Amino acid sequence: MKHLHSGKVRDLYQTEEGLLLMVASDRISAFDHVLTPDIPDKGTILTRMSLWWFEQLADVVPNHVVAPGPDGRSVLCRPLRMVPVECVARGYLTGSGLIDYRRDGEVSGIRLEPGLVDGSRLPEPIFTPSTKAPVGEHDEPISFERVVAEVGADVAAELRRITLEVYRRGAEIALERGIILADTKIELGWDADGVLTLGDEVLTPDSSRFWPLDQWEPGRSQPSFDKQYVRDWLTSPASGWDRASGEAPPPLPEEVVERTRARYVEAYEKLTGRPFTG
């Protein structure tokens, strides 16, 4: 196959028939850096979880899947002309959204009520798009008006509608399993017929924040089923890393790797109801 692209986590190949093979590696990224070492089984977990979610969302938005790959970590899919915008939905305030709120009182141009804290549930889920940055560069939040300028009013409205519908469906299913879906990022593109289609991954610990419902407590950093554990270690004194230095983060300790893998497995099993057998 022809190698087309390597991202932070995925590698993309083109088949002789013009289809794409998307391979999820065990790489993990945080703060726009690809970290070392890899997280064992991560690519397989992400692929299985995405395939499960694509099924749950089939009546919300079409997806690019043609068939699962033979190795458990790849997916054969239809090529899409990707939208040049990161589509993000937030139902809770945390992460970069919280930083922006504390500074400006708004997220991606959306004014929020005063008094919100880390982990606050928003009155309604909001669409908070960002730029789509290359590897090594930072995604930047943008307003809905800028999305309109980028892709047009009709497409922008449809991006917002689909993103919020995906979030609402995902949040509803997750809540039934005792998990809060705090926020999520999805990738959309046009298929050969010009239909907006869900691509890449969906509702995985790499693209979303999952919190245990029974441990949710606004006003602090929430325990999570996603890579927040890695982010927290990187920003702790234990790592010795200065995020503003421009230097690459240090290697992850064995304990962080093992606990991160365990959280990914737990997220998969709780959400899908299926055991992860590797």
Side-chain angles (χ1 to χ4, degrees), residues 157-178:
E158 191 67 355
L159 294 178
R160 179 170 59 185
R161 182 192 69 79
I162 293 171
T163 303
L164 292 175
E165 282 299 307
V166 167
Y167 174 81
R168 290 189 179 101
R169 175 65 62 82
E172 177 184 348
I173 292 172
L175 203 59
E176 293 171 353
R177 291 151 172 80

Side-chain angles (χ1 to χ4, degrees), residues 7-21:
K8 295 172 187 173
V9 173
R10 285 170 177 74
D11 300 296
L12 198 61
Y13 299 84
Q14 185 178 49
T15 71
E16 291 181 355
E17 297 78 21
L19 297 175
L20 300 178
L21 186 75

Side-chain angles (χ1 to χ4, degrees), residues 29-270:
S29 68
F31 303 120
D32 296 305
H33 290 275
V34 177
L35 310 176
T36 59
D38 294 347
I39 307 298
D41 295 317
K42 176 175 171 286
T44 302
I45 294 168
L46 294 184
T47 298
R48 291 185 188 176
M49 190 179 292
S50 282
L51 289 169
W52 184 83
W53 276 116
F54 281 133
E55 293 176 0
Q56 315 307 311
L57 298 166
D59 62 330
V60 174
V61 57
N63 62 71
H64 68 163
V65 175
V66 174
D71 55 358
R73 66 169 63 243
S74 63
V75 178
L76 194 65
C77 49
R78 292 177 289 131
L80 303 176
R81 182 168 59 89
M82 302 309 295
V83 173
V85 173
E86 295 278 13
C87 294
V88 181
R90 301 177 190 271
Y92 294 76
L93 187 62
T94 193
S96 62
L98 177 66
I99 294 171
D100 293 346
Y101 169 78
R102 285 173 170 169
R103 185 186 63 234
D104 306 323
E106 58 184 41
V107 182
S108 292
I110 300 173
R111 176 68 56 179
L112 299 177
E113 62 188 68
L116 300 179
V117 296
D118 193 354
S120 287
R121 182 177 181 179
L122 301 177
E124 292 289 337
I126 57 175
F127 178 58
T128 59
S130 67
T131 59
K132 189 174 288 188
V135 174
E137 298 184 21
H138 299 282
D139 296 338
E140 298 291 342
I142 56 176
S143 66
F144 182 73
E145 288 71 26
R146 185 162 161 196
V147 178
V148 170
E150 186 80 27
V151 298
D154 290 346
V155 172
E158 191 67 355
L159 294 178
R160 179 170 59 185
R161 182 192 69 79
I162 293 171
T163 303
L164 292 175
E165 282 299 307
V166 167
Y167 174 81
R168 290 189 179 101
R169 175 65 62 82
E172 177 184 348
I173 292 172
L175 203 59
E176 293 171 353
R177 291 151 172 80
I179 295 175
I180 289 173
L181 173 61
D183 54 43
T184 194
K185 177 184 72 175
I186 65 172
E187 300 275 359
L188 292 165
W190 292 277
D191 69 4
D193 297 320
V195 176
L196 275 172
T197 301
L198 191 58
D200 197 52
E201 63 181 327
V202 61
L203 294 170
T204 71
D206 268 21
S207 65
S208 315
R209 284 187 175 89
F210 294 111
W211 299 337
L213 175 61
D214 60 1
Q215 298 178 55
W216 174 51
E217 185 182 318
R220 61 171 173 83
S221 178
Q222 310 300 315
S224 65
F225 291 112
D226 51 57
K227 60 183 178 181
Q228 189 61 42
Y229 183 78
V230 171
R231 296 188 191 101
D232 289 345
W233 181 81
L234 286 172
T235 56
S236 74
S239 77
W241 180 58
D242 178 6
R243 184 180 174 185
S245 69
E247 300 292 326
L252 302 175
E254 184 177 347
E255 179 191 3
V256 173
V257 171
E258 291 175 353
R259 292 187 65 178
T260 301
R261 180 190 180 279
R263 295 302 266 176
Y264 275 72
V265 170
E266 187 178 3
Y268 173 82
E269 293 183 341
K270 280 183 174 290

